[in-house]
Every structure is written in structure tokens, then in C-alpha cells.
Amino acid sequence: QVQVVESGGGLVQAGGSLRLSCAASAASGTIFSINGMGWYRQAPGKQRELVASIVSDGIPTYTDSVKGRFTISRDNAKRTVYLQMNSLKPEDTAVYYCNIDHRVLDRATWRHDDAWGQGTQVTVSS
């Protein structure tokens, strides 16, 4: 099973920046391959929404509200995805979750799965 660990959330004033990191790992002997990596967020009373994603060839996509302010990137060797958030606004306040879309080699068969991080709080004060 693939585990995901996030870091980098916190409290920042409007206009400030934060960088989130998300690393995927698995128990020794587990063979897995990562497809897409993404960041979601969920604000109080709202549904979880996709903020940014990046596929294996490095092409990113963003929700309209963060375009020009957020940058998603990945380091395939480290199995890590980053979200650089600049010009933060109070409406960016939410719990941010990392998602790793992957395949696991299970008894000679590749099995598709996805893993979620525990979430990291981002709070932007006005």
C-alpha cells in the first residue's frame, strides 16, 4: 500500500506565499508506478475541489481561481509533488490534500489505486 505524507501548510497573511510538499512511499518490496499527482482543497462547508494536477509527462492543469498564482511541479525520482502558492488570498483558506494516482504490482498484475494524504491546513489572514 502506498502512503502519502504532506507538509508545508500554515498561517500566512494575504499576499504571502507557502509551499506544500507531498511524498509517496511504500513498504519495502512494494513496486508501484505513479501516474497523476494532484492537490485538492476543502474549505469549511464546501465540497472538496481539485486545485492543480500534473501527469507523468509534466503537463499541469489548474482550477481558474489559482491560475497565475499557484505552480504545481513534481520530482519523479523523489516521488514528490509540490504546490507553490503565491499571492495568497483569504479565499484560499482550506485543508489541502494530496492525491497520488498510481499502479501497484500485485502478484504479477498491475492494480490501479489512488492514495490520499492526511491533509494540511492553509490559513490566509486578511
Side-chain angles (χ1 to χ4, degrees):
Q1 187 173 355
V2 172
Q3 289 84 44
V4 177
V5 177
E6 303 158 353
S7 61
L11 172 64
V12 66
Q13 289 187 330
S17 298
L18 285 173
R19 188 191 194 210
L20 306 183
S21 299
C22 167
S25 63
S28 177
T30 300
I31 299 173
F32 70 100
S33 173
I34 295 175
N35 301 322
M37 310 175 88
W39 288 96
Y40 291 72
R41 66 186 179 187
Q42 188 166 18
K46 295 187 177 181
Q47 288 189 331
R48 189 174 297 189
E49 65 169 343
L50 176 62
V51 176
S53 63
I54 186 166
V55 293
S56 56
D57 59 5
I59 297 176
T61 60
Y62 301 94
T63 191
D64 286 346
S65 61
V66 308
K67 286 180 180 177
R69 301 188 297 122
F70 291 11
T71 302
I72 189 171
S73 60
R74 61 189 282 172
D75 184 330
N76 291 328
K78 295 182 179 179
R79 292 175 167 173
T80 299
V81 62
Y82 306 95
L83 186 67
Q84 178 66 43
M85 304 184 294
N86 299 327
S87 302
L88 282 161
K89 303 176 180 179
E91 50 264 44
D92 294 318
T93 295
V95 178
Y96 284 69
Y97 297 90
C98 174
N99 176 267
I100 306 294
D101 178 72
H102 62 280
R103 300 179 301 157
V104 177
L105 188 59
D106 184 1
R107 287 170 288 188
T109 300
W110 285 101
R111 172 175 55 83
H112 176 260
D113 202 350
D114 68 335
W116 290 89
Q118 77 282 3
T120 184
Q121 178 70 46
V122 171
T123 303
V124 184
S125 62
S126 58

